[in-house]
Amino acid sequence: MNTLIRNGTVVTALENKRADVLIEGERIAEVRAGIPEASADKVIDATGMYVIPGGIDVHTHLDMPFGGSQSSDDFETGTRAAAFGGTTSIVDFAIQARGTRMRDALDTWWKKAEGRACIDYGLHMIVTDLGASGLEDMDEMVDEGVASFKLFMAYPNVLMVDDATIFKALARTAKNGALICMHAENGSVIDVIIARALAEGKTAPIYHALTRPVRAESEAVHRAIALAEIAGAPVYIVHLSSEDALNEVREARDRGVPAFAETCPQYLLLSIEELERPNFEGAKYVFTPPLRPKKHLLKLWDGLRNDHLQVVSTDHCPFCFEDQKSLGKDDFTKIPNGGPGIENRLQLIHHHGVNSGKLSLNRFVELTSTTPARIFGMYPKKGEIAPGSDADLVVWDPSAVHTISAQTHHMRVDYSMFEGFECRGNARTVLSRGEVIVDGGRFLGKPGRGQYLKRTARGGAWK
Ligand SMILES: [Zn+2]
């Protein structure tokens, strides 16, 4: 089956041009003006629309176990919500349990996704323990298309690994070409501050933010980059939240170090005051790193514009307010950490980035699709509009006005962090490998149609 998208403006990371896009089967066959309608079985009119590469969200947590509970979106509900917002690929996280093999975690996460994923998905591996065979296991994971690993410098006794482990893993990736993703916060120090706060009876949600200082983030970013430099490996900082941390990345990049970082819509648009909402509603904004004072927000936008930050992901990790966030009513440390956002990333970054003049349309595409594809070994299969690439395409209506609300969103969670935010620009028609899966607010895809993305190592822009 051939599909022709006609009369749109094709927007890539590099250029905007009036062109038609011909899709043959699952791939893009041709991109040029004036492709005859007769060459297609199905024609999509994109007059007045942008045609952009499908969004790629490289930081999601679907069906993630957390303290006897689960993040509230599974691979079906989460990827369907993603599709509504114009995201056609995700990279989620498999979690190695301490004392077990990475292979077990990979099998477990494949099972979670199988029969459910509506869009294509890759997996990073969260390494909690290198054990006797961990380094060989990493090579094995790379062969399976798990081209990136996440390590935690936070959450002692749960996920945190020590500097020796971090260094060994980094050194291994210098050889096997994978990329280490770092949750950079000094967890040992934060735990001491938390214990002090609890001892003083400080239990409200706001103390989640007040016990995780900005310097605990920037110190860890500095250390992560230093360890990567010693190991001769690149490093990628996940969910960077503050100016101080950004300065560490910028300083390293200015010296030519292959350090990369992402931020998320919540750090660009929300600030610490949200955690002071009455009636425990601050818990809706409890995730790590925490929201920061307002002065950090513009600095992060500057970082996106100047390429000190390369990617916008969501860290989508939803927990319902009513029966999950409430676990921490009397103790902020019991509030499940995470917030929903997989559906709204493109809407928010287009509106607050492009419409407000902070980002060009091309930079918007680069941050939300093309660079994530490159860094995480999916390019040019994903993140590009060119012959041979997967036909993951979004017909984007730049003038559609959409008000974000839990009443209308498709994520399986009972609140929105962006409730009432009005955005101009939204996905109208979404194609995944040539198949229309969302059109005019209707979902047309099937659970289980999403395929596992075998990603390649050394996909990134480093040597
Ligand atoms: Zn995360």
Side-chain angles (χ1 to χ4, degrees):
M1 158 126 162
N2 291 358
T3 305
L4 180 64
I5 304 177
R6 286 191 72 219
N7 299 325
T9 300
V10 170
V11 180
T12 67
L14 292 176
E15 59 175 351
N16 312 332
K17 60 180 178 192
R18 294 298 296 270
D20 304 336
V21 182
L22 180 66
I23 300 160
E24 286 178 10
E26 300 196 335
R27 300 238 169 90
I28 295 169
E30 235 188 313
V31 185
R32 67 172 170 91
I35 300 176
E37 274 195 37
S39 48
D41 310 300
K42 178 186 166 81
V43 175
I44 297 171
D45 181 31
T47 304
M49 307 281 151
Y50 302 140
V51 180
I52 59 175
I56 301 175
D57 190 344
V58 293
H59 193 150
T60 67
H61 300 280
L62 302 175
D63 203 356
M64 188 194 80
F66 184 97
S69 175
Q70 229 83 19
S71 60
S72 61
D73 268 319
D74 63 17
F75 273 80
E76 180 177 337
T77 62
T79 56
R80 192 173 56 213
F84 272 105
T87 288
T88 53
S89 300
I90 59 166
V91 186
D92 205 270
F93 293 87
I95 307 176
Q96 177 210 19
R98 286 221 164 115
T100 70
R101 304 290 294 268
M102 294 176 204
R103 160 69 56 188
D104 302 332
L106 184 60
D107 288 341
T108 301
W109 259 263
W110 272 342
K111 279 205 198 80
K112 288 172 189 276
E114 204 183 287
R116 295 196 182 88
C118 304
I119 58 173
D120 293 349
Y121 61 95
L123 292 167
H124 312 278
M125 180 63 61
I126 291 177
V127 176
T128 56
D129 173 11
L130 279 179
S133 60
L135 296 173
E136 290 80 36
D137 284 7
M138 287 176 71
D139 295 347
E140 187 193 341
M141 289 300 105
V142 172
D143 292 339
E144 294 285 6
V146 179
S148 44
F149 299 87
K150 184 180 181 188
L151 301 176
F152 281 81
M153 302 171 101
Y155 302 118
N157 306 316
V158 187
L159 296 165
M160 192 172 103
V161 288
D162 63 13
D163 288 353
T165 303
I166 293 170
F167 181 69
K168 284 181 200 163
L170 281 162
R172 195 67 170 204
T173 62
K175 293 203 184 88
N176 67 23
L179 180 63
I180 298 288
C181 304
M182 205 68 85
H183 178 125
E185 280 186 303
N186 187 320
S188 306
V189 168
I190 285 169
D191 264 17
V192 174
I193 302 173
I194 288 175
R196 212 157 61 193
L198 289 177
E200 290 167 7
K202 296 168 173 170
T203 60
I206 184 64
Y207 290 104
H208 171 76
L210 297 178
T211 53
R212 308 185 85 88
V214 160
R215 294 296 284 153
E217 183 185 25
S218 62
E219 182 278 327
V221 169
H222 181 91
R223 183 159 37 107
I225 294 173
L227 296 176
E229 277 188 84
I230 301 168
V235 66
Y236 179 93
I237 309 296
V238 296
H239 50 45
L240 187 141
S241 72
S242 64
E243 178 188 8
D244 307 54
L246 176 63
N247 287 342
E248 297 290 344
V249 175
R250 187 186 56 211
E251 185 272 339
R253 289 177 63 82
D254 285 350
R255 286 188 293 115
V257 173
F260 306 90
E262 64 177 23
T263 190
C264 313
Q266 53 272 33
Y267 302 116
L268 293 161
L269 297 168
L270 304 173
S271 56
I272 190 169
E273 292 77 17
E274 304 288 356
L275 285 101
E276 292 177 309
R277 288 186 182 227
N279 304 319
F280 190 62
E281 288 203 30
K284 295 176 176 175
Y285 303 88
V286 167
F287 42 76
T288 59
L291 292 175
R292 304 301 191 183
K294 278 212 171 69
K295 64 172 183 154
H296 294 270
L297 277 53
L298 267 180
K299 301 292 181 183
L300 295 179
W301 282 107
D302 284 345
L304 290 176
R305 191 170 46 236
N306 299 321
D307 203 37
H308 305 135
L309 296 167
Q310 292 75 42
V311 171
V312 178
S313 68
T314 61
D315 196 8
H316 177 75
C317 189
F319 294 101
C320 289
F321 180 65
E322 280 300 325
D323 55 349
Q324 295 186 296
K325 290 285 188 179
S326 54
L327 294 170
K329 261 215 154 9
D330 305 314
D331 176 353
F332 70 89
T333 65
K334 305 253 167 29
I335 301 170
N337 284 194
I342 199 168
E343 185 169 350
N344 306 121
R345 183 178 60 128
L346 298 191
Q347 297 156 355
L348 290 165
I349 301 304
H350 178 269
H351 185 78
H352 292 277
V354 179
N355 292 350
S356 75
K358 291 191 186 78
L359 303 174
S360 71
L361 210 41
N362 309 97
R363 184 64 179 156
F364 162 66
V365 167
E366 194 168 39
L367 289 165
T368 57
S369 178
T370 309
T371 300
R374 280 185 197 278
I375 290 182
F376 290 98
M378 295 174 271
Y379 188 87
K381 179 180 164 67
K382 306 292 189 190
E384 184 58 281
I385 302 183
S389 292
D390 281 0
D392 287 9
L393 297 164
V394 177
V395 178
W396 183 265
D397 182 349
S399 53
V401 174
H402 174 68
T403 302
I404 295 172
S405 171
Q407 306 296 316
T408 52
H409 73 200
H410 302 87
M411 300 177 286
R412 190 162 66 191
V413 61
D414 58 0
Y415 75 96
S416 172
M417 294 198 287
F418 305 100
E419 185 69 37
F421 275 52
E422 192 180 88
C423 295
R424 187 157 43 80
N426 202 0
R428 191 198 72 183
T429 308
V430 180
L431 296 93
S432 163
R433 281 179 284 102
E435 184 185 342
V436 175
I437 57 170
V438 170
D439 192 36
R442 280 183 316 139
F443 185 71
L444 304 171
K446 269 202 192 67
R449 63 166 299 287
Q451 293 177 356
Y452 172 66
L453 281 166
K454 209 168 168 182
R455 299 178 294 117
T456 53
R458 294 195 177 78
W462 58 93
K463 290 211 178 89

